[in-house]
Amino acid sequence: MLPKKTKYAIKALILLAREYKEQRPLKISKIAEAERIPRKFLEAIMVQLRNEGIVESKMGPTGGYTLLKHPEEVMLSTIIRSTGGPIALLPCVSLNFYERCDECVHEETCGLRDVVLEVREASIKILSKTSLADIIKRENKLIKKHNLQ
Amino acid sequence: MLPKKTKYAIKALILLAREYKEQRPLKISKIAEAERIPRKFLEAIMVQLRNEGIVESKMGPTGGYTLLKHPEEVMLSTIIRSTGGPIALLPCVSLNFYERCDECVHEETCGLRDVVLEVREASIKILSKTSLADIIKRENKLIKKHNLQ
DNA sequence: TTTGTATCCTACAAAATTAGTAGTATATTT
DNA sequence: AAATATACTACTAATTTTGTAGGATACAAA
């Protein structure tokens, strides 16, 4: 499962992506309120996203956060990794949180690892082709569909 | 990520599956030793697997655990669920650990949920078609491949 | 140049989850 | 009856997650 931290990060970035055309910084307090994220927690998350080069920050009044890249270029897989969310089901197939199974004698011949590797591949395939822009598109589509019924 | 509990369960069941033709109960101590799983911890896991109807236990000397179904019928997805391992990336798309996002206003129109739903589908597709027998087959194949090089 | 506002940074703390242990009861075979 | 294996109950320890508190720093506007 993804930690809340990762979910919050994605939610916040979706909001920034919606504001992207304006290119006006969004304040943490605004984001926290809109997405119902604990303010202080979001603060820490945003700093992390800045360190990862995903957003830009500006201090002082008129300050806040802006998306650094175009929403079509910010992939879900990138956000998940940047906030420490693991994608793989086991550490032995994780690219970013790799850890050898201490009980496995031969990692290369582990059948479970082989399957879990396949699952990771399938997941990453989806997550690395889905951008913030895609999520917004999906959202608009779902809203339309939902209103029709 | 899957908890160790789930990984240990799968490892233990693979061993039982390898022994399936014999239909002779395997003792916890043997399994724990072979797979390097803490003995007492494995004990608790095996009881859970028995309650879930995956294995059968027999007490006393000559006792131990036996697989209840044919290895081809025991699917990875079943083991994962039986031991409490979540497959989904978020609780709001989990079948067995469902939990509403408290910050989402409309679950049905959440774009992130929509993507994560797709990832879950892809993962389950693989995990629910892979049996213990399949894992053993993969293992044999990997060993052959590994020895040739 | 002061004041207000926003992010930045360090250091915690509470809560939840995971991983594992201890000890005893119960069943079964020899 | 003795030996051996699982079953059950009740903890404990460690780790991770999810936050919070409080002051430092940057910056714009009056």
Side-chain angles (χ1 to χ4, degrees):
Chain A
M1 290 252 181
L2 298 177
K4 285 205 171 184
K5 193 193 207 177
T6 297
K7 191 173 71 167
Y8 290 159
I10 298 171
K11 291 272 188 178
L13 289 172
I14 290 174
L15 205 65
L16 287 184
R18 286 193 178 278
E19 213 82 342
Y20 187 72
K21 279 157 302 190
E22 330 276 334
Q23 276 296 54
R24 229 174 28 197
L26 259 184
K27 279 178 285 185
I28 279 183
S29 55
K30 284 284 170 198
I31 302 173
E33 201 182 329
E35 300 300 329
R36 301 200 207 168
I37 302 168
R39 220 216 124 187
K40 273 293 197 178
F41 195 22
L42 181 60
E43 215 173 271
I45 294 168
M46 295 312 290
V47 169
Q48 204 172 341
L49 291 175
R50 189 209 50 182
N51 289 339
E52 296 284 335
I54 294 174
V55 297
E56 190 179 42
S57 69
K58 201 188 158 198
M59 283 176 113
T62 78
Y65 284 94
T66 332
L67 210 57
L68 256 179
K69 293 182 202 158
H70 191 280
E72 282 186 10
E73 291 178 280
V74 185
M75 299 305 164
L76 262 192
S77 56
T78 309
I79 305 172
I80 293 175
R81 282 193 193 116
S82 298
T83 54
I87 294 172
L89 288 178
L90 291 175
C92 64
V93 298
S94 175
L95 291 175
N96 302 271
F97 304 94
Y98 174 78
E99 225 172 284
R100 201 177 148 64
C101 286
D102 21 312
E103 69 275 5
C104 259
V105 189
H106 293 297
E107 192 173 78
E108 311 79 23
T109 60
C110 175
L112 174 58
R113 183 171 172 274
D114 201 44
V115 179
V116 163
L117 210 64
E118 205 179 312
V119 173
R120 191 204 68 188
E121 230 95 277
S123 302
I124 287 186
K125 191 176 171 189
I126 297 168
L127 295 171
S128 65
K129 81 167 185 218
T130 305
S131 67
L132 289 176
D134 290 322
I135 294 183
I136 292 175
K137 269 183 221 154
R138 277 174 190 255
E139 227 145 64
N140 292 338
K141 225 177 256 178
L142 285 171
I143 290 173
K144 212 182 263 178
K145 192 178 161 190
H146 201 65
N147 280 344
L148 286 179
Q149 289 163 358
Chain B
M1 289 252 181
L2 296 178
K4 286 205 170 183
K5 195 194 211 178
T6 297
K7 190 172 72 168
Y8 290 159
I10 298 172
K11 291 273 189 177
L13 290 172
I14 290 172
L15 206 64
L16 287 184
R18 286 192 178 278
E19 213 80 347
Y20 187 71
K21 281 158 300 194
E22 330 275 336
Q23 274 302 50
R24 229 176 28 200
L26 261 183
K27 279 179 285 187
I28 280 184
S29 55
K30 284 286 171 197
I31 302 173
E33 202 182 328
E35 300 298 331
R36 301 198 208 168
I37 301 169
R39 220 219 122 182
K40 272 292 197 179
F41 195 22
L42 180 59
E43 214 174 272
I45 295 169
M46 294 312 289
V47 168
Q48 203 172 342
L49 291 176
R50 190 209 48 180
N51 290 338
E52 295 285 334
I54 294 173
V55 297
E56 192 178 41
S57 70
K58 199 189 158 197
M59 284 176 112
T62 75
Y65 285 93
T66 332
L67 210 57
L68 256 181
K69 293 184 202 159
H70 191 281
E72 281 186 8
E73 291 178 280
V74 186
M75 300 304 165
L76 263 192
S77 55
T78 309
I79 306 172
I80 294 176
R81 281 190 193 122
S82 298
T83 53
I87 295 172
L89 288 179
L90 291 176
C92 63
V93 298
S94 175
L95 289 178
N96 302 271
F97 305 93
Y98 173 79
E99 226 173 283
R100 200 178 150 65
C101 287
D102 22 311
E103 70 274 6
C104 259
V105 190
H106 292 296
E107 194 173 75
E108 312 79 23
T109 59
C110 175
L112 174 58
R113 184 170 171 273
D114 201 43
V115 179
V116 163
L117 210 63
E118 203 178 313
V119 173
R120 192 206 65 188
E121 230 93 278
S123 301
I124 287 187
K125 191 176 171 188
I126 296 170
L127 296 172
S128 63
K129 79 167 187 216
T130 306
S131 67
L132 290 175
D134 289 323
I135 293 183
I136 292 175
K137 269 184 220 154
R138 277 174 191 257
E139 227 146 62
N140 293 338
K141 224 177 255 178
L142 285 169
I143 290 172
K144 211 181 262 180
K145 191 178 162 190
H146 201 67
N147 280 343
L148 286 179
Q149 287 164 0

